[in-house]
Amino acid sequence: MLLFFALGLLVHFVFFASIFDIYFTSPLVHGMTPQFTPLPPPARRLVLFVADGLRADALYELDENGNSRAPFIRNIIMHEGSWGISHTRVPTESRPGHVALIAGFYEDVSAVAKGWKENPVEFDSLFNESKYTWSWGSPDILPMFAKGASGDHVYTYSYDSKRQDFGAQDATKLDTWVFDNVKDFFHHARNNQSLLSKINEEKIVFFLHLLGIDTNGHAHRPSSRDYKDNIKKVDDGVKEIVSMFNHFYGNDGKTTFVFTSDHGMTDWGSHGAGHPSETLTPLVTWGAGIKYPQRLSAQQFDDVFLKEWRLENWKRLDVSQADIAPLMTSLIGVPFPLNSVGILPVDYLNNTDLFKAESMFTNAVQILEQFKVKMTQKKEATLPFLFAPFKFQVIQDLVASLLTYPLNHFVGYLLVFTLGTEVLVLSFFYRYMLTIGLTAFAAWPFLTQLWTRAKVTSLSWTFFSLLLAVFPLMPVVGRKPDISLVMGAGLLVLLLSLYVVTSLTKRKDSFLKEELLVHLLQVLNTVLSMYVVYSTQSSLLRKQGLPLTNQIISWATLASSLIVPLLSSPALFQRLFSILLSLMSTYLLLSTGYEALFPLVLSCLMFVWINIEQETLQQSGVSCKQKLTSIQFSYNTDITQFRQLCLDDIRRAFFLVFFLVTAFFGTGNIASINSFDLASVYCFLTVFSPFMMGSLMMWKILIPFVLVMCAFEAHFFFLVKDYGSWLDIGTSISHYVIVMSMTIFLVFLNGLAHLLTTKKLRLCGKPKSHLM
């Protein structure tokens, strides 16, 4: 007992740990080659201001008197530089925001173990790639960039963490500290030759982290006077620092200034989630290599910010937050951060087209390097037969094939496929759309050369498509049981069976008796199913309950429905017909009215589909003439020999999906429980059992699905081979589950169809050889 307890405990610990191993392992990779633009950069130095917790609207909007809270920054927007909104990502916290700005990648999920205070994995950044970086600000932010830097070239100057007090009377002192220390730094540099030499180098960065706005926002809310006044203090401080830089460097025009924020803040003074007030941050850049303001008469955005901020005439350039990192690196000519996923916003650059092109190319190569390293690592940690890179030999061939079509034909096909997709989507909400689609299917042969090549097959296709199109128009709720329709469906199955058995008796194959016996047993099973349906209905009307014999026959029929087809010949027609007979016997037992006819009509259409697709392949020269009676499901198909994809393959894929949706919604709306009638399971049980009844109803839904998949399995053998050459909300959720489940369930049903069509059980004796 103790052993089992220990084993169970171990298993639970393994599962517990596996979640962190799977979902909370760092996605960062190492070993990439640094990439930088070979052309001379426009700037020698870059100054980065990050106003922690500053919302975009708080900076850009005008106050109640029509004045800007940041007149210096607004003057930059109108006369000196470029501006826009930087879109951040969740979690909108300081550490991930700064990592995105300075390193160019978003949240590393493994940082959850560190409380998001620092990154658990070393990463490359703008600071690391710079020749020197000096930074001033919070002790929570600065150290993580110095810790990950190679060498001793990132210098940090932080105030004591006790200063970060939400209860402090004046949080603006945090920003004043930064501005004052930067001024003192440059004053000291004039008397320190070593420091003076360093700050006159190229490829250097100055980082000012301004925490006052965030602290005041948490303590007093962004709508408070404290928060808004802090913005004015920051604007004044930035103005002084910019003036100092220009004076110190003799107005050499080689300094780039970037002003932005790591995240915004909600009206109630929090951040971390994805509300626009948290994710929309300001970005203002000016100086060396930055475009001057661009005046426009109108701009198109999905918001009204421009009008609210009265900036509709100055071109707005929005970016993703991680894009700022490659922008800064290109401006001072250092390698792109190795882990960056940012895309260079070239619209901010004031440089030659050659410089822009080289920078974009370097950016692309740098991102590609990460992919290569990731792929190598994945390959080394994966068994060889499980690592199969996706080959583009297929998509390229399809594109090449599409390009051979005349433009008007290509546009026509595109419109048809788009319309078909819309019909498919609308059919989830309006079943009559299936009728429209099937009616369009009926006309298909007459729009091609199929009509001239195979008139009987084309007429059959049209007839069964129109017949199947009637079912989605039938009511699914409130209809009364009509056993006569179930009996009629059974009689049609018997007539079809008689025709097939007669055809088989005309053959003189050595295994005819065994095959004939299997079909006769299935015919007898159909008769028994009809008897059970009729007698059960009569017994229930007399209030005598479900006869035990009927119940036994029903369950036996259900149990054998997936086994008996395995006794039939693997020849295409015989096996598909055997599957139809077995599944129809079960479906009759689960039917109460017109839906009993549905699988029969659907199967007939599927068989015609097989024939008509063979005609299309012969017409296009892909396949030679081959009788369907000669195709064996048991043939081994070499799936490595693919022919070139063509437009017909897209149509075939669409037909398959459309028929699968029709199989689901043809006789009811499976997204609504009201579509189900408990009378459907009365041949199996009458005592209320939700799980058992639900399972039987689900199998009833799946039977047409299986029939379609078995028919498609038949296509596989001559289409793939190379022959030588809830109400509103509930219903919407149900639709989503159906769509997602269909994709997953196709794998299972494809395996089931493969089993039903290719395997064979023998009643007795040794198999006899024969000639086709």
Side-chain angles (χ1 to χ4, degrees), residues 637-639 641-643 715-722:
T637 304
D638 183 7
I639 62 173
Q641 299 298 319
F642 287 100
R643 57 176 173 79
H715 285 284
F716 181 80
F717 284 89
F718 61 91
L719 295 182
V720 177
K721 272 174 52 174
D722 188 349

Side-chain angles (χ1 to χ4, degrees), residues 140-320:
D140 290 336
I141 299 299
L142 306 187
M144 66 179 174
F145 293 101
K147 178 182 178 181
S150 58
D152 186 21
H153 66 284
V154 178
Y155 305 97
T156 62
Y157 303 90
S158 302
Y159 40 73
D160 190 275
S161 60
K162 293 180 180 179
R163 284 178 173 264
Q164 302 173 174
D165 185 0
F166 292 158
Q169 292 183 352
D170 188 6
T172 60
K173 290 182 179 179
L174 298 174
D175 300 335
T176 303
W177 185 96
V178 171
F179 294 133
D180 289 346
N181 274 265
V182 173
K183 296 174 189 175
D184 292 342
F185 172 83
F186 276 90
H187 178 75
H188 176 68
R190 295 182 183 275
N191 302 313
N192 186 321
Q193 192 59 41
S194 175
L195 178 58
L196 184 62
S197 176
K198 289 180 179 178
I199 62 176
N200 276 286
E201 295 274 3
E202 60 181 11
K203 307 182 190 304
I204 60 174
V205 178
F206 300 92
F207 171 43
L208 285 70
H209 175 243
L210 309 168
L211 188 61
I213 294 175
D214 183 75
T215 305
N216 269 316
H218 286 303
H220 307 290
R221 308 294 184 266
S223 59
S224 67
R225 176 55 56 190
D226 303 81
Y227 185 89
K228 296 174 181 178
D229 286 348
N230 203 150
I231 297 175
K232 179 66 170 66
K233 287 283 184 69
V234 166
D235 184 67
D236 292 339
V238 170
K239 180 180 180 180
E240 292 179 8
I241 295 299
V242 170
S243 176
M244 183 203 69
F245 265 89
N246 290 334
H247 177 72
F248 186 90
Y249 288 105
N251 292 304
D252 63 354
K254 293 294 183 179
T255 307
T256 302
F257 300 93
V258 177
F259 181 90
T260 187
S261 174
D262 55 346
H263 57 74
M265 186 172 289
T266 63
D267 292 341
W268 50 95
S270 68
H271 55 82
H275 190 273
S277 62
E278 301 168 88
T279 61
L280 303 183
T281 59
L283 173 62
V284 183
T285 63
W286 68 99
I290 298 296
K291 275 187 178 179
Y292 288 100
Q294 301 174 68
R295 296 293 300 266
L296 299 172
S297 58
Q299 301 182 69
Q300 296 296 325
F301 284 94
D302 295 331
D303 54 56
V304 294
F305 295 145
L306 287 171
K307 186 176 181 179
E308 291 177 354
W309 301 337
R310 299 182 187 176
L311 290 171
E312 52 265 62
N313 295 325
W314 282 268
K315 188 173 183 179
R316 168 180 153 188
L317 302 170
D318 286 11
V319 299
S320 296

Side-chain angles (χ1 to χ4, degrees), residues 388-690:
F390 180 75
K391 296 180 179 179
F392 292 93
Q393 78 217 50
V394 178
I395 294 180
Q396 288 176 343
D397 289 343
L398 176 59
V399 172
S401 175
L402 294 178
L403 292 176
T404 61
Y405 284 83
L407 182 61
N408 57 338
H409 288 188
F410 178 77
V411 173
Y413 281 125
L414 185 61
L415 289 175
V416 170
F417 290 147
T418 303
L419 182 61
T421 304
E422 290 296 324
V423 170
L424 200 59
V425 173
L426 289 173
S427 66
F428 277 71
F429 306 93
Y430 311 102
R431 290 175 59 241
Y432 64 80
M433 296 304 296
L434 293 173
T435 300
I436 295 175
L438 289 168
T439 303
F441 282 11
W444 168 56
F446 303 99
L447 302 176
T448 64
Q449 297 180 4
L450 287 171
W451 167 247
T452 59
R453 291 175 56 89
K455 288 185 171 58
V456 175
T457 305
S458 298
L459 288 173
S460 300
W461 168 268
T462 301
F463 174 74
F464 286 113
S465 294
L466 293 175
L467 196 57
L468 192 65
V470 175
F471 288 93
L473 299 176
M474 303 296 284
V476 296
V477 178
R479 58 186 177 90
K480 295 181 179 179
D482 191 345
I483 300 303
S484 61
L485 291 175
V486 181
M487 295 294 104
L491 287 174
L492 288 175
V493 172
L494 291 177
L495 290 173
L496 182 60
S497 302
L498 180 62
Y499 171 77
V500 173
V501 170
T502 302
S503 301
L504 286 175
T505 54
K506 295 179 180 179
R507 297 176 54 186
K508 298 183 179 180
D509 297 324
S510 57
F511 58 92
L512 178 61
K513 290 184 179 180
E514 180 181 333
E515 302 299 334
L516 185 59
L517 178 60
V518 171
H519 287 307
L520 288 175
L521 286 173
Q522 291 180 305
V523 171
L524 177 61
N525 201 22
T526 304
V527 174
L528 285 174
S529 295
M530 295 172 64
Y531 166 76
V532 169
V533 171
Y534 181 79
S535 62
T536 299
Q537 176 73 3
S538 300
S539 180
L540 292 176
L541 288 174
R542 296 193 300 269
K543 298 184 179 181
Q544 294 178 351
L546 173 62
L548 180 60
T549 304
N550 292 5
Q551 190 175 21
I552 294 173
I553 293 174
S554 298
W555 284 107
T557 300
L558 175 63
S560 64
S561 60
L562 296 179
I563 299 176
V564 175
L566 303 180
L567 299 171
S568 63
S569 167
L572 185 146
F573 177 74
Q574 286 93 318
R575 179 58 63 92
L576 289 179
F577 182 70
S578 181
I579 294 170
L580 172 63
L581 287 181
S582 286
L583 295 180
M584 272 302 299
S585 297
T586 304
Y587 202 87
L588 289 173
L589 295 169
L590 291 167
S591 299
T592 60
Y594 71 86
E595 77 274 15
L597 295 163
F598 182 73
L600 182 60
V601 177
L602 180 63
S603 296
C604 291
L605 183 57
M606 292 299 99
F607 182 72
V608 176
W609 186 30
I610 294 171
N611 283 270
I612 206 166
E613 289 294 0
Q614 191 184 35
E615 292 290 342
T616 61
L617 288 171
Q618 293 168 10
Q619 178 179 313
S620 59
V622 173
S623 171
C624 59
K625 184 67 176 179
Q626 184 182 19
K627 292 183 178 180
L628 292 178
T629 55
S630 66
I631 298 177
Q632 297 279 324
F633 275 116
S634 58
Y635 288 161
N636 290 324
T637 304
D638 183 7
I639 62 173
T640 63
Q641 299 298 319
F642 287 100
R643 57 176 173 79
Q644 180 175 318
L645 291 178
C646 60
L647 277 175
D648 266 349
D649 292 306
I650 301 177
R651 177 189 52 75
R652 292 182 187 103
F654 176 76
F655 275 17
L656 172 63
V657 176
F658 194 93
F659 286 137
L660 290 175
V661 174
T662 303
F664 264 139
F665 292 98
T667 60
N669 180 5
I670 68 169
S672 172
I673 196 66
N674 290 332
S675 295
F676 300 113
D677 186 358
L678 286 179
S680 299
V681 301
Y682 285 172
C683 289
F684 294 86
L685 73 166
T686 53
V687 178
F688 184 66
S689 175

